Amino acid sequence: MIDGALMYGAAAIAALAVVVMYRVVKGPTMQDRIVAINVIGTSTVVIIALVAAALDQPEYLDIALVYALLNFVLSIAVAKFTVDRGEVL
Amino acid sequence: MTPLEVAVSVLVAAGVFFVFVGAVGLIRLPDVYTRAHASSKADTLGAGFALAAVMLSFGFSSQAVKTAVLLIFVYVSSPTAAHAISRAAYRSGVEPWTAGDGDGGEEG
């Protein structure tokens, strides 16, 4: 029962991440795309954590942590990359 | 259904709802600032509720602590990234949308 609820939640969030891909494709600015990629990355972290709980595989939580870290570094790096003198934080 | 099952189901549903709100904001709002505003807040709340459900289903264990660390990291990093992206947009000259721009949306 709990596994089912967690799995259905993960599936719904995955479907919403696919919907968000619309903004990645459409743009129009680079920053719109980064915001959308950031949302997809956060959704991926949540999906990995939900699947870890549903399948009772606690090792997946490590992967979720690393993915969250990479997602953050990617957003900051690309945000810095789009500005000339790079002062974004 | 046990109380634990009810609590986990409610938390997952709340998380999916807030991720849905974030997706709607990201698709429908007119410019990058409003989109970052909607998506970062709704997405942080969505991740918060969903990860709380994960914590609850793992029970009182080291996995729950690891999930709490993940939750704190998402809480800190997601708004910071949205702030950096918005500031990068402002620095690179993206004009904020105003009511005079009409529906704006796809082109603005």
Side-chain angles (χ1 to χ4, degrees):
Chain A
M1 167 64 208
I2 287 184
D3 297 359
L6 293 166
M7 257 337 200
Y8 281 124
I13 292 175
L16 288 168
V18 173
V19 172
V20 169
M21 278 303 283
Y22 169 83
R23 185 51 69 197
V24 181
V25 173
K26 192 89 176 182
T29 66
M30 178 68 119
Q31 283 80 18
D32 284 303
R33 296 193 169 99
I34 311 170
V35 169
I37 292 282
N38 195 25
V39 169
I40 292 174
T42 311
S43 303
T44 309
V45 171
V46 173
I47 291 166
I48 295 173
L50 286 172
V51 169
L55 300 182
D56 200 22
Q57 298 274 351
E59 313 89 66
Y60 289 9
L61 287 175
D62 300 332
I63 300 168
L65 265 169
V66 172
Y67 203 94
L69 195 67
L70 279 176
N71 188 35
F72 176 60
V73 173
L74 173 120
S75 299
I76 299 294
V78 181
K80 250 177 143 54
F81 178 71
T82 59
V83 194
D84 280 345
R85 289 202 174 272
E87 276 186 28
V88 289
L89 268 184
Chain B
M1 293 212 301
T2 64
L4 178 67
E5 289 174 342
V6 175
V8 168
S9 304
V10 168
L11 283 171
V12 168
V16 170
F17 171 75
F18 277 108
V19 173
F20 175 73
V21 170
V24 169
L26 201 59
I27 301 289
R28 291 291 300 161
L29 287 175
D31 74 348
V32 62
Y33 306 107
T34 50
R35 283 172 198 147
H37 162 84
S39 71
S40 67
K41 270 194 294 199
D43 219 48
T44 309
L45 265 178
F49 278 116
L51 290 179
V54 171
M55 269 168 80
L56 216 56
S57 77
F58 272 128
F60 194 72
S61 61
S62 66
Q63 282 89 40
V65 175
K66 207 180 273 178
T67 313
V69 171
L70 183 60
L71 180 54
I72 291 168
F73 185 76
V74 169
Y75 258 45
V76 172
S77 75
S78 183
T80 311
H83 169 77
I85 295 162
S86 301
R87 194 155 173 206
Y90 186 74
R91 290 275 171 120
S92 58
V94 178
E95 288 287 320
W97 178 86
T98 54
D101 298 341
D103 197 21
E106 300 313 312
E107 268 67 51

